[in-house]
């Protein structure tokens, strides 16, 4: 069993390093997209399902609550954190609308939708992206595998951070590290300097 743990750690490191080489320039570009959104006094709406939903909440919490330094909160809302609204919308309008309706209600032109999905195949994320497009919002997608239906909806103004792995656990771990990288770059751009 111990050797299995070591093997899993090795696979994790390999997946992370492979993704880092592919994603580094895109993560830098995505951080600039977020900074531009915030400097224009717009906000981020984030969403995901399951583990990806937890990552969306984590990203939102670090933007609003702070990352590694004391600074003002940044405007971000994790749409999947309101279970009552999600349940009500799913019951009344179907699960596919669970994020699209809040995007239509809260999203403004210039806001940024951040979707997180290990495979990009969630119908409620696809509908949220369509709603964001209707509201003239940008889209940042953290995906994995082949990007699924979500990747197909992106245009040249959007950014996709696609982890080159089909293994959900590997995609989730790289998404978490990507979020940490984004928070670091955003804080450094808005508030100066890099901290070690």
């Amino acid at each position: 069993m111990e050797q299995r743990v070591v093997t899993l750690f090795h696979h994790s490191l390999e997946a992370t390093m492979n993704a880092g080489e592919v994603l580094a320039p895109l993560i830098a570009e995505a951080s600039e997209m977020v900074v531009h959104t915030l400097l224009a006094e717009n906000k981020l709406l984030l969403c995901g399902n399951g583990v990806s939903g937890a990552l969306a909440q984590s990203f939102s919490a670090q933007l609003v609550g702070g990352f590694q330094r004391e600074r003002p909160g940044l405007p971000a809302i994790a749409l999947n954190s309101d279970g009552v609204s999600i349940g009500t919308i799913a019951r009344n309008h179907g699960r596919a609308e669970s994020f699209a309706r809040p995007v239509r209600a809260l999203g403004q032109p210039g806001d940024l939708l951040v979707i997180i999905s290990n495979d990009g195949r969630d119908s409620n994320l696809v509908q949220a992206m369509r709603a964001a497009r209707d509201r003239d919002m940008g889209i940042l997608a953290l995906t994995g595998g082949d990007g699924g239906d979500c990747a197909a909806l992106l245009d040249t103004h959007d950014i996709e951070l696609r982890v080159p792995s089909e293994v959900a656990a590997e995609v989730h771990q790289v998404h978490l590290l990507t979020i940490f990288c984004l928070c670091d770059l955003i804080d450094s751009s808005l508030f100066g300097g890099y901290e070690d």
Side-chain angles (χ1 to χ4, degrees):
M1 291 181 77
E2 290 178 20
Q3 186 54 48
R4 178 63 181 159
V5 172
V6 171
T7 299
L8 290 171
F9 267 76
H10 282 278
H11 287 174
S12 171
L13 290 170
E14 185 178 338
T16 301
M17 292 305 298
N18 289 340
E21 292 174 10
V22 171
L23 294 178
L26 290 170
I27 292 172
E29 186 180 345
S31 73
E32 292 172 6
M33 180 187 218
V34 173
V35 167
H36 176 76
T37 299
L38 296 172
L39 288 175
E41 299 187 359
N42 290 106
K43 65 187 170 299
L44 278 67
L45 300 179
L46 304 94
C47 56
N49 297 299
V51 174
S52 295
L55 292 172
Q57 287 179 283
S58 177
F59 195 3
S60 176
Q62 291 172 80
L63 291 170
V64 175
F67 181 54
Q68 292 184 329
R69 65 171 76 185
E70 183 58 37
R71 57 139 169 89
L74 303 172
I77 303 167
L79 300 176
N80 52 283
S81 62
D82 185 352
V84 174
S85 290
I86 290 172
T88 300
I89 294 165
R91 184 188 70 238
N92 294 338
H93 306 282
R95 181 181 180 277
E97 286 290 304
S98 59
F99 299 136
R101 285 185 70 88
V103 167
R104 288 189 206 100
L106 301 171
Q108 298 294 323
D111 286 349
L112 183 64
L113 175 68
V114 180
I115 65 108
I116 305 176
S117 175
N118 66 292
D119 62 9
R121 302 191 191 294
D122 302 293
S123 62
N124 59 349
L125 297 178
V126 168
Q127 294 304 322
M129 292 173 71
R130 289 184 174 137
R133 188 76 66 231
D134 292 343
R135 299 292 289 158
D136 197 24
M137 297 169 58
I139 300 171
L140 171 59
L142 281 69
T143 65
D146 65 3
D149 299 327
C150 290
L153 291 177
L154 297 170
D155 69 22
T156 56
H157 302 291
D158 303 321
I159 296 176
E160 181 184 20
L161 303 175
R162 185 187 303 176
V163 179
S165 175
E166 302 283 342
V167 180
E170 292 177 358
V171 174
H172 292 312
Q173 75 183 19
V174 173
H175 281 172
L176 180 59
L177 182 54
T178 298
I179 289 166
F180 291 158
C181 291
L182 287 168
C183 288
D184 179 81
L185 295 174
I186 292 162
D187 279 8
S188 296
S189 294
L190 291 174
F191 304 103
Y194 288 97
E195 294 186 356
D196 294 326

